[in-house]
């Protein structure tokens, strides 16, 4: 796996969250989350299943609405945006789903061309084809143009899912469990891809995971989410060097030491 | 609010859920009329969907229409023979098929075939996060998935209903022709003699309403599917049951309204 070489611009915050609360009925998922992401930085959000990690990034992209608190993405309050303004902001954010969420009635080429056809009306067919080939090449699947999602392996689906977000050249990447359900070798390939994306497209990323290997090798900072709040935020060594019982408990259940 | 008994609590919760569902369905339908006139129109997708719905339903509609025509003629003949009124057979069949059976049979077949298909397709897209994926790519999923499909069913089902009526009349003609020598032109002339413009207009209006209902119910159930693959099956099933229920209610209401117009 490659080492991280990203340049972090600490003077520029791309995501700023303060006092974020979110409940589903009686279930309080997020209970006052504070979080900043700087331009060029990768942050991994770690935590057990059901602690609200995915809810957090769904609020960032406007798929869910917050109950309380403030969420500012690229200088705009996401929950105050509607229609075209929200769409314009979303085009600057890439979201890679845990399940890849490829359109199963379309082949790989159509999956990648679809966001361009719908959002970049001035692009010609030749320009779209070129963009699709370029992004497929960047995720190492140049020859998979005509395949249907059902014919791809789990790792390939993840790559195509990432490619579909990259085609719109986002400034922020949100990865939801990028290595879940993959074998260690394919996981390592996806980790390399996340780092390559960061270098090539100069993105800032939030990586939701419970895989410590992924977090250690992709993130500049780790944020440990427990019971709806961040227990600890810092570098990998800072977080897992802490005496906190919950953090140590999470660390000990993983293979990495 | 405190409840005296468990029954009261269950009843209250049930009513609450029911009215929430009605409100959500009402909002979903209202959104269609807001979005349908806005750009982009996704005409290519409307044509694709119309083609899918129309062409794939054609064999089943043809077979059902043909059989309905034959069976209805066969079963009506003995009663008319008792009164020596077999010459009225084409008119009777014409009225029954054009005014009621054609649109209703087509709508019921499409509710089962098209409605369940739309419910399952959108339900599956919902539970596998494909609809969310559209939304985060700045594509309006309601506009692209719901409006196009509802327009397609609203346009295609009236055409299928007219086709079904024509095939049913042809089936009826073959049965009449087998029993007595009659030309096709004479049969069709006789069948349409008692049918007015209002009858055709009512029949087409009914089919448009049925088409809209099948589309909006299928997309609503699919769009609101939850709980994984089980939810997909439930969405498909509920799309059929609710669409059929609404079609029968609409049939009664439209016939009643058409009858009021007949008196004016």
């Amino acid at each position: 796996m490659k080492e991280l070489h990203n340049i972090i611009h600490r003077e520029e915050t791309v995501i700023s969250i303060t006092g974020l609360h979110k409940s589903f009925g009686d279930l309080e998922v997020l209970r006052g989350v504070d979080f900043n992401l700087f331009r060029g930085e990768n942050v991994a959000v770690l935590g057990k299943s059901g602690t609200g990690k995915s809810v957090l990034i769904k609020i960032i992209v406007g798929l869910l609405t917050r109950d309380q608190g403030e969420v500012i993405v690229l200088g705009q309050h996401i929950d105050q945006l509607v229609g075209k303004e929200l769409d314009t902001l979303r085009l600057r954010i890439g979201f890679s789903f845990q399940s890849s969420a490829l359109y199963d009635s379309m082949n790989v080429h159509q999956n990648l061309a679809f966001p361009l056809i719908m959002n970049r009306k001035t692009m010609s067919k030749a320009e779209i084809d070129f963009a699709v080939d370029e992004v497929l090449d960047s995720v190492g699947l140049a020859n998979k143009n005509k395949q249907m999602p059902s014919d791809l392996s789990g790792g390939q689906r993840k790559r195509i899912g990432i490619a579909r977000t990259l085609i719109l050249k986002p400034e922020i990447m949100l990865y939801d469990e990028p290595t879940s359900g993959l074998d260690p070798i394919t996981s390592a390939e996806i980790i390399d891809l996340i780092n390559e994306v960061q270098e090539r497209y100069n993105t800032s990323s939030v990586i939701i995971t419970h895989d410590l290997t992924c977090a250690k090798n992709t993130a500049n900072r780790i944020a440990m989410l427990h019971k709806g709040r961040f227990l600890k935020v810092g570098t990998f060594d800072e977080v897992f060097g802490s005496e906190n019982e919950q953090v140590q408990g999470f660390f000990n259940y993983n293979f990495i030491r | 609010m405190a409840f005296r008994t468990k029954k009261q609590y269950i009843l209250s919760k049930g009513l609450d859920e029911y009215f929430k569902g009605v409100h959500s369905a009402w909002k979903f339908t209202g959104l269609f009329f807001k979005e349908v006139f806005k750009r982009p129109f996704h005409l290519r997708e409307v044509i694709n969907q119309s083609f899918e719905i129309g062409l794939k339903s054609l064999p089943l509609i043809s077979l059902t229409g043909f059989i309905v025509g034959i069976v209805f003629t066969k079963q009506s003949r003995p009663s008319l023979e008792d009164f020596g009124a077999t010459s009225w057979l084409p008119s009777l069949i014409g009225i029954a098929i054009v005014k009621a059976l054609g649109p209703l049979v087509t709508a019921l077949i499409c509710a089962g075939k098209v409605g369940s298909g739309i419910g399952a397709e959108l339900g599956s897209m919902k539970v596998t996060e494909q609809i969310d994926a559209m939304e985060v790519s700045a594509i309006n999923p309601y506009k692209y998935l719901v409006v196009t499909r509802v327009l397609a069913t609203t346009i295609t089902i009236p055409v299928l209903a007219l086709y079904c009526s024509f095939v049913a009349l042809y089936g009826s003609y073959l049965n009449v022709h087998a029993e007595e020598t009659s030309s096709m032109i004479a049969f069709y002339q006789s069948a349409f003699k008692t049918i007015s413009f209002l009858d055709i207009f009512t029949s087409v209006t009914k089919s448009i309403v049925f088409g809209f209902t099948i589309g909006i119910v299928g997309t609503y159930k699919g769009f609101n599917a939850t709980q994984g693959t089980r939810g997909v099956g439930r969405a498909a099933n509920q799309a059929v049951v609710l669409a059929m229920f609404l079609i029968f209610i609409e049939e009664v209401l439209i016939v009643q309204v058409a009858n009021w117009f007949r008196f004016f």
Side-chain angles (χ1 to χ4, degrees):
Chain A
M1 278 172 235
K2 288 181 183 177
E3 277 186 36
L4 294 172
H5 298 295
N6 48 335
I7 301 157
I8 302 167
H9 302 272
R10 293 199 184 274
E11 71 288 354
E12 194 181 349
T13 310
V14 288
I15 298 175
S16 167
I17 297 174
T18 36
L20 178 63
H21 286 256
K22 177 70 186 173
S23 301
F24 296 95
D26 296 333
L27 181 69
E28 205 179 358
V29 180
L30 298 177
R31 307 170 186 200
V33 168
D34 298 308
F35 173 74
N36 281 324
L37 178 73
F38 301 111
R39 186 167 292 283
E41 185 186 32
N42 284 359
V43 172
V45 177
L46 284 173
K48 288 193 287 185
S49 298
T51 48
K53 304 188 297 290
S54 298
V55 171
L56 177 69
I57 54 168
K58 283 185 177 173
I59 291 174
I60 291 172
V61 80
L63 279 176
L64 293 172
T65 52
R66 54 139 181 82
D67 294 339
Q68 280 177 52
E70 196 174 54
V71 181
I72 301 171
V73 181
L74 295 165
Q76 298 184 73
H77 288 263
I78 188 92
D79 53 320
Q80 290 172 9
L81 302 177
V82 285
K84 281 223 158 94
E85 285 177 329
L86 180 60
D87 287 345
T88 308
L89 181 63
R90 277 176 170 166
L91 290 174
R92 299 168 70 190
I93 308 169
F95 194 112
S96 166
F97 286 85
Q98 183 176 355
S99 61
S100 305
L102 300 180
Y103 308 123
D104 48 20
S105 59
M106 302 180 190
N107 65 25
V108 167
H109 183 278
Q110 288 164 333
N111 257 285
L112 299 180
F114 187 60
L116 288 181
I117 293 168
M118 303 303 275
N119 290 301
R120 308 266 194 263
K121 303 277 181 197
T122 51
M123 280 180 89
S124 67
K125 191 181 174 302
E127 285 172 324
I128 289 174
D129 288 346
F130 179 77
V132 169
D133 290 342
E134 190 184 29
V135 80
L136 266 178
D137 189 44
S138 74
V139 297
L141 292 172
N143 55 346
K144 300 286 178 187
N145 248 314
K146 299 281 171 228
Q147 283 197 277
M148 296 302 286
S150 55
D151 300 330
L152 300 172
S153 67
Q156 288 171 335
R157 288 169 70 94
K158 293 264 185 194
R159 282 168 180 268
I160 301 295
I162 293 170
R164 190 177 59 189
T165 66
L166 290 177
I167 204 157
L168 291 167
K169 303 214 176 345
E171 293 169 46
I172 299 172
M173 279 296 292
L174 306 173
Y175 296 94
D176 192 1
E177 305 278 9
T179 57
S180 76
L182 301 178
D183 62 82
I185 295 168
T186 314
S187 288
E189 287 171 6
I190 295 292
I191 289 166
D192 282 344
L193 178 63
I194 292 171
N195 291 330
E196 278 166 28
V197 164
Q198 208 287 326
E199 275 177 38
R200 191 165 176 170
Y201 295 88
N202 198 23
T203 53
S204 318
S205 313
V206 178
I207 303 140
I208 300 295
T209 185
H210 49 236
D211 174 3
L212 282 186
T213 312
C214 174
K216 189 179 185 185
N217 291 293
T218 56
N220 305 105
R221 278 191 301 152
I222 309 278
M224 179 82 198
L225 194 63
H226 180 71
K227 290 188 176 171
R229 283 196 192 95
F230 281 131
L231 275 182
K232 192 90 186 157
V233 181
T235 63
F236 187 87
D237 292 335
E238 281 168 6
V239 170
F240 290 103
S242 111
E243 301 284 302
N244 187 295
E245 206 178 295
Q246 302 294 342
V247 175
Q248 281 308 314
F250 188 85
F251 187 67
N252 290 334
Y253 275 109
N254 279 269
F255 296 112
I256 193 163
R257 297 291 162 124
Chain B
M1 188 180 160
F3 298 101
R4 281 189 203 155
T5 62
K6 199 178 171 187
K7 267 186 193 170
Q8 269 186 353
Y9 171 75
I10 292 169
L11 182 70
S12 162
K13 207 174 170 196
L15 281 173
D16 192 43
E17 289 292 312
Y18 172 77
F19 284 113
K20 271 184 189 165
V22 170
H23 177 249
S24 141
W26 188 249
K27 260 176 70 180
F28 189 85
T29 310
L31 193 57
F32 172 83
F33 293 103
K34 207 174 136 190
E35 293 286 345
V36 72
F37 300 108
K38 276 191 201 165
R39 283 175 182 275
F41 297 117
H42 302 307
L43 280 179
R44 190 185 291 263
E45 183 63 8
V46 175
I47 293 166
N48 278 345
Q49 289 297 327
S50 302
F51 191 67
E52 283 274 309
I53 292 164
L55 200 70
K56 288 191 175 165
S57 305
L58 217 52
L60 195 58
I61 297 277
S62 306
L63 183 70
T64 316
F66 190 71
I67 289 170
V68 164
I70 290 177
V71 170
F72 196 71
T73 312
K74 260 190 181 310
Q75 292 193 334
S76 306
R77 181 179 285 279
S79 306
L80 290 177
E81 266 173 357
D82 289 346
F83 298 101
T86 44
S87 60
W88 288 0
L89 198 56
S91 302
L92 173 75
I93 301 295
I95 291 168
I97 285 172
V98 174
K99 285 172 75 172
L101 287 175
L104 193 62
V105 165
T106 308
L108 293 177
I109 290 172
C110 288
K113 194 175 181 305
V114 177
S116 64
I118 291 174
E121 185 190 10
L122 265 59
S124 147
M125 288 185 78
K126 171 81 179 175
V127 301
T128 55
E129 298 180 303
Q130 292 176 51
I131 291 179
D132 285 345
M134 273 191 192
E135 215 171 327
V136 297
S137 305
I139 299 161
N140 181 346
Y142 189 93
K143 184 99 186 145
Y144 187 78
L145 298 171
V146 177
V147 174
T148 54
R149 278 160 180 78
V150 175
L151 277 179
T153 52
T154 310
I155 294 164
T156 314
I157 288 173
V159 178
L160 286 174
L162 288 173
Y163 170 77
C164 179
S165 300
F166 176 79
V167 174
L169 283 173
Y170 184 67
S172 172
Y173 160 72
L174 289 182
N175 188 264
V176 168
H177 187 70
E179 298 281 333
E180 58 205 60
T181 318
S182 160
S183 78
M184 199 200 279
I185 294 170
F187 175 85
Y188 273 87
Q189 273 177 345
S190 184
F192 280 96
K193 204 163 59 186
T194 47
I195 294 169
S196 64
F197 173 75
L198 182 65
D199 294 328
I200 305 271
F201 179 78
T202 310
S203 180
V204 172
T205 307
K206 256 198 296 195
S207 294
I208 290 172
V209 174
F210 293 162
F212 178 80
T213 304
I214 291 165
I216 206 83
V217 170
T219 50
Y220 173 72
K221 288 294 174 188
F223 225 69
N224 291 289
T226 49
Q227 297 171 359
T229 46
R230 202 171 160 211
V232 177
R234 201 168 39 223
N237 181 270
Q238 287 179 346
V240 178
V241 174
L242 184 59
M244 284 187 176
F245 175 72
L246 291 175
I247 284 167
F248 285 121
I249 291 175
E250 286 162 359
E251 167 80 24
V252 173
L253 290 177
I254 294 170
V255 167
Q256 189 62 47
V257 172
N259 281 342
W260 287 337
F261 275 107
R262 215 176 292 278
F263 287 118
F264 288 118

